[in-house]
Amino acid sequence: MRKGFLFLGSFLMLLLFAGGMLFLLGAQERDPDEMLAQTEIEPAETLPAFNPGVSTTRAFTIEQILETPSGILYGISKQRGFLVSFDEGHSWLEHNNGLPRRVVYPFSEASQRVRHLTAVNIDPLHEGRVAVTTADALYLSEDYGNSWQQVAIDKPLRSTSYLTAVALSPRDPNTLLVGTSFNGFFETTDRGASWQDPSLSARFLYRGAGFYEEVSGLSYHPTEEGVIFFSCGFGHGLYEGSPDRKRWTRLDFPGDRSAEVIYRLEAIPTGATWQLGVQTHTTRWQYPLSSKNWYRIDSRANSLLAASAAAREEDPFRRERIRKASERFGIYVSSFRAHSADLDNHLKFIKDNGMNSLVVDCKDDMGWIAYDTRLEFPRQIGGVNKRFVLEELLDKAHRQGIYVVARVVVFKDRQLYNYNNFEYAAWNAVTDQPWRYIVKVEVPPEPRSENGAEGEQERAEAGSNGNDNGTDADGESAEQAPPEPVYKYVQNEYWVDPYNPEVWSYNLAIAEELQSRGVDEIQFDYIRFPSDGNLSQIRYRYRPEGMSRIDALESFLTQARELIHIPISTDLYGFNSWHRMGNWIGQSIEVLADYVDVICPMFYPSHFPRDFMKDEPYLERGRKIYQEGTSRAAFMVGSRSIVRPYVQAFLIGEELAMGPAEYSLYLTEQIEGTLAAPSSGFTLWNASNRYYMVIEPLTPYLGVRDSDPQSR
């Protein structure tokens, strides 16, 4: 009797188990329409598709669109976040529940949009499973974007990594890939509990100095275990990995021949076979994994993206600002040399070399206001050190048709830092004192010249009138033993809090005054967070909850754009113009380009670590850095801004051994690299204003006509 009960119970359990397995298999093979019908979609106001006639609070454009096999469309928009369309793009729903919000001036509800989404992809077997990335975070939805959960990101990814691509495994819901702009790509097999770096074996990605080529697209092979596809940004190739991920093969992608840039890879089921979908900024390609023959397709997504771009209203004021700022070639002029004979000589140098602009310090690296300001607060904080009269400089320059750019250093400011018991200073959370960047420096063995540090820099850069062969002026070798070095510790930089709205207002008041008094362009420099020193100890006392570094700079520029109606330019680190960045010092070129008219990268070859492009001959390396760097920057900003790099017109370190012929070629290589790229001018930089590297006139390189002062 007992055996009968046991047999019956076992039989019933077997039936239950078999039924459960059939249910699970059926769930995996459900039609997408059935899955969607059983998913509660977040109620949301329907947005019209790309209607330029709607109010500015409702207008939106879409940067990326992913078309699923069932016809559902996913989109990402700067203005609206994550979007879903169930009617072929005729209308869109916002699905942002659980996605992070920006904290940006004017801090109204309308301004607190979803953080910029950088990538989107789906599980190729379950299109309701969607992943998106922001610059620094990964989010996953299991219900068509109706709700989002953050997936933790940890080492070996860096805190400064900028996410650019994502892929979901069709085999395991806990396995995902993310790509970055300069650190390779990474995989988790436990939904973010731990991460591995499969890109370590792709050594060709490494550019040097800890930087890798951008990964713009990722996909798992749908049928071959372990195989990954990835694409590099800026047209640097599409690759397929071996199952053990130790070997990588570059695919012969036809888009490479027409300079198409890939921004997403997808695994696409087509009946019993699979294809690799490749989305570029101009078209869509498919690659059957069985036949491996490329073909281009027309897609609804491409048509909608074209419609979105066409519907974008052009700002006539921005167009005019960019026209005025375009094709400006010039030099940097220190405030110490912005008057009298020095200024006359600089203006003559500009004209003799076929150039048409100058950049002059109006608020310098120490926070000194160097012109005759009429503002009260700079005097109150002791921040005025008048070195030139603004109207005199403008009159002289404008009479010769020279365009004047006023340089304003923003967040590095010793005068504001020290004011009122360090009210505006970045703070040290450990010592509860102002944060200080302290460096060890050598005390010069001889008294400085009457020109101070500037005179020393001139001598260091100029050598002995180009005689840099280690001999004295008479050609005799120096035999005297050098004295023992003496060192001291000094505060090298003074950083105010970039989150403080009063710091923004102070700098914008200066910019407004310069605008009202007739300068042609405002250039913001040191518009960033500190990059050196013990950064882990910094506490930003004025940081609103949830505000990021990128948000802080965007807030400052949002205010600037409300007040400044002439062109605005901003100076960027070379690497911040080479890669998509922002999580480190806040400088995101893609965000800045929404507000400024001119991006000014500092691609100084001497400031790139020698390990970067280390196999290139040094002079040719300078050309390639400017040509590729300028091209990359121009691609990232698109038509929103122009790119006007700073060119290195100084020597430093081992470069001081160069003779005149070599350093002249070094300069012209950089210029030629800049002009071979989509640039719109350049500015020579030499801190001491000794432009000795210009041996031959630059006019043949530029082809710049004399500017008509009436055209300003």
Side-chain angles (χ1 to χ4, degrees):
M1 186 74 173
R2 185 176 300 170
K3 288 183 179 179
F5 279 121
L6 288 172
F7 176 78
L8 180 60
S10 299
F11 180 72
L12 289 172
M13 289 181 65
L14 182 61
L15 284 176
L16 287 170
F17 176 76
M21 289 298 294
L22 288 171
F23 175 80
L24 289 173
L25 290 171
Q28 289 186 353
E29 297 176 358
R30 279 186 295 170
D31 183 80
D33 291 336
E34 179 188 350
M35 293 176 68
L36 181 60
Q38 296 182 20
T39 302
E40 292 186 7
I41 301 299
E42 169 196 10
E45 182 183 5
T46 301
L47 298 172
F50 321 126
N51 183 355
V54 299
S55 67
T56 54
T57 59
R58 289 172 51 79
F60 70 101
T61 54
I62 297 187
E63 285 75 46
Q64 292 190 34
I65 296 177
L66 189 154
E67 186 173 1
T68 71
S70 69
I72 297 171
L73 300 176
Y74 295 126
I76 55 179
S77 166
K78 281 186 180 179
Q79 298 89 359
R80 296 294 178 178
F82 184 80
L83 301 175
V84 185
S85 176
F86 302 111
D87 57 5
E88 298 185 327
H90 295 293
S91 62
W92 296 84
L93 297 173
E94 292 185 28
H95 279 192
N96 294 318
N97 182 28
L99 293 178
R101 301 276 172 172
R102 301 183 310 158
V103 181
V104 175
Y105 172 86
F107 309 113
S108 62
E109 184 176 348
S111 69
Q112 307 314 297
R113 303 193 294 258
V114 170
R115 290 204 179 282
H116 180 216
L117 303 178
T118 57
V120 58
N121 220 326
I122 62 171
D123 181 334
L125 290 178
H126 306 290
E127 60 186 38
R129 296 188 68 240
V130 194
V132 296
T133 58
T134 62
D136 61 355
L138 168 64
Y139 295 87
L140 179 65
S141 172
E142 310 276 1
D143 55 6
Y144 297 84
N146 190 44
S147 60
W148 296 92
Q149 297 78 41
Q150 185 171 357
V151 178
I153 286 180
D154 206 343
K155 294 178 180 179
L157 276 87
R158 306 177 194 173
S159 61
T160 56
S161 293
Y162 188 103
L163 304 184
T164 51
V166 63
L168 295 83
S169 169
R171 297 181 184 81
D172 179 6
N174 295 315
T175 297
L176 300 96
L177 286 163
V178 294
T180 70
S181 64
F182 57 89
N183 293 138
F185 56 90
F186 303 84
E187 182 179 47
T188 178
T189 57
D190 49 19
R191 201 171 288 217
S194 62
W195 289 85
Q196 300 81 41
D197 185 355
S199 63
L200 283 175
S201 61
R203 293 298 300 170
F204 53 87
L205 287 177
Y206 188 64
R207 301 296 300 267
F211 287 86
Y212 291 73
E213 188 51 85
E214 177 180 288
V215 175
S216 62
L218 287 163
S219 177
Y220 285 97
H221 196 296
T223 59
E224 295 186 19
E225 184 77 29
V227 175
I228 294 171
F229 297 96
F230 74 86
S231 59
C232 294
F234 307 100
H236 284 274
L238 170 60
Y239 297 86
E240 179 180 359
S242 59
D244 61 4
R245 300 180 179 178
K246 293 182 179 179
R247 298 179 308 280
W248 304 90
T249 302
R250 182 165 182 171
L251 302 182
D252 184 19
F253 173 52
D256 286 344
R257 292 185 279 280
S258 54
E260 294 183 38
V261 177
I262 299 171
Y263 71 80
R264 188 174 60 249
L265 303 179
E266 309 161 40
I268 303 172
T270 52
T273 62
W274 286 88
Q275 303 193 55
L276 178 68
V278 178
Q279 184 68 57
T280 74
H281 283 78
T282 57
T283 191
R284 181 179 177 85
W285 295 83
Q286 288 194 355
Y287 180 68
L289 297 178
S290 54
S291 64
K292 299 188 176 182
N293 294 317
W294 289 99
Y295 63 95
R296 192 194 308 259
I297 65 168
D298 295 324
S299 70
R300 178 65 176 162
N302 281 349
S303 300
L304 291 169
L305 287 171
S308 177
R312 186 179 297 125
E313 287 186 315
E314 184 180 19
D315 180 352
F317 300 105
R318 165 167 278 200
R319 182 178 66 239
E320 178 60 15
R321 292 195 305 267
I322 288 178
R323 185 195 68 79
K324 289 182 177 180
S326 294
E327 298 300 308
R328 298 296 178 179
F329 302 86
I331 64 172
Y332 159 75
V333 176
S334 162
S335 57
F336 289 100
R337 303 180 186 279
H339 60 88
S340 307
D342 280 336
L343 176 61
D344 294 336
N345 290 335
H346 286 314
L347 296 177
K348 182 178 185 301
F349 176 84
I350 290 169
K351 300 298 288 185
D352 288 348
N353 283 278
M355 296 188 286
N356 58 10
S357 68
L358 68 84
V359 176
V360 61
D361 273 338
C362 291
K363 176 173 179 269
D364 70 11
D365 297 43
M366 286 296 177
W368 291 116
I369 309 298
Y371 66 96
D372 53 325
T373 181
R374 300 163 188 164
L375 299 173
E376 178 57 33
F377 190 64
R379 301 182 187 282
Q380 182 178 326
I381 69 172
V384 179
N385 187 347
K386 191 184 83 170
R387 298 165 190 157
F388 66 93
V389 175
L390 183 60
E391 276 71 18
E392 291 180 4
L393 180 146
L394 292 173
D395 181 62
K396 283 186 175 183
H398 285 167
R399 277 193 283 110
Q400 298 187 55
I402 292 175
Y403 180 88
V404 178
V405 180
R407 178 175 179 257
V408 176
V409 173
V410 181
F411 297 123
K412 198 172 81 161
D413 186 332
R414 185 175 68 182
Q415 317 314 314
L416 194 59
Y417 176 99
N418 287 324
Y419 176 67
N420 199 23
N421 198 27
F422 309 105
E423 179 179 355
Y424 300 104
W427 210 248
N428 190 314
V430 177
T431 65
D432 196 29
Q433 295 289 325
W435 181 79
R436 294 179 169 89
Y437 173 34
I438 305 296
V439 295
K440 182 180 180 181
V441 298
E442 184 176 350
V443 178
E446 297 178 355
R448 298 187 177 217
S449 71
E450 62 181 2
N451 290 330
E454 189 175 44
E456 284 203 322
Q457 182 175 2
E458 292 174 8
R459 291 196 302 275
E461 291 185 352
S464 302
N465 295 320
N467 180 20
D468 296 315
N469 59 6
T471 62
D472 62 21
D474 298 322
E476 297 293 327
S477 177
E479 300 292 342
Q480 186 175 357
E484 289 293 323
V486 177
Y487 296 97
K488 66 178 179 178
Y489 291 89
V490 299
Q491 182 167 351
N492 197 46
E493 296 176 349
Y494 297 79
W495 286 90
V496 294
D497 193 328
Y499 289 106
N500 191 327
E502 294 183 28
V503 173
W504 307 342
S505 297
Y506 173 61
N507 284 279
L508 291 176
I510 296 166
E512 273 195 287
E513 181 187 41
L514 291 166
Q515 173 181 246
S516 69
R517 293 175 64 177
V519 303
D520 299 299
E521 177 178 314
I522 302 294
Q523 183 169 111
F524 293 123
D525 198 0
Y526 286 91
I527 176 171
R528 62 176 180 85
F529 283 69
S531 59
D532 299 295
N534 192 342
L535 305 180
S536 65
Q537 294 184 347
I538 300 181
R539 176 166 66 90
Y540 294 107
R541 296 173 290 170
Y542 299 94
R543 176 179 176 265
E545 183 178 357
M547 180 179 269
S548 71
R549 289 175 169 85
I550 296 174
D551 291 345
L553 301 193
E554 184 173 6
S555 294
F556 171 74
L557 288 173
T558 301
Q559 285 193 10
R561 198 70 280 173
E562 291 178 350
L563 301 170
I564 305 302
H565 311 300
I566 59 176
I568 296 176
S569 54
T570 186
D571 302 340
L572 270 69
Y573 265 175
F575 274 127
N576 285 73
S577 306
W578 190 283
H579 295 285
R580 291 174 173 88
M581 300 180 76
N583 301 330
W584 173 39
I585 57 174
Q587 282 187 343
S588 169
I589 187 172
E590 292 188 306
V591 172
L592 297 180
D594 283 333
Y595 301 92
V596 306
D597 307 293
V598 188
I599 296 289
C600 300
M602 298 176 285
F603 290 128
Y604 307 146
S606 65
H607 286 41
F608 281 78
R610 192 62 189 94
D611 187 37
F612 189 81
M613 290 189 172
K614 64 180 179 180
D615 295 329
E616 300 289 345
Y618 197 79
L619 300 188
E620 187 175 342
R621 172 178 177 265
R623 177 193 178 101
K624 289 188 174 181
I625 284 176
Y626 271 91
Q627 184 169 348
E628 184 174 351
T630 303
S631 297
R632 293 168 74 111
F635 179 81
M636 287 187 282
V637 303
S639 61
R640 296 171 294 165
S641 303
I642 56 175
V643 179
R644 185 202 300 150
Y646 271 103
V647 169
Q648 180 181 332
F650 61 90
L651 303 176
I652 191 171
E654 295 179 0
E655 295 174 345
L656 290 167
M658 292 183 183
E662 188 176 14
Y663 63 60
S664 174
L665 181 59
Y666 184 35
L667 176 67
T668 56
E669 286 281 347
Q670 297 173 58
I671 290 173
E672 289 181 349
T674 300
L675 297 178
S679 60
S680 188
F682 61 74
T683 305
L684 301 183
W685 176 273
N686 183 300
S688 66
N689 295 173
R690 291 284 298 272
Y691 292 101
Y692 58 89
M693 292 175 70
V694 181
I695 293 178
E696 299 294 333
L698 299 180
T699 308
Y701 295 95
L702 308 184
V704 178
R705 294 174 296 183
D706 287 343
S707 299
D708 178 4
Q710 301 302 318
S711 68
R712 286 191 304 272

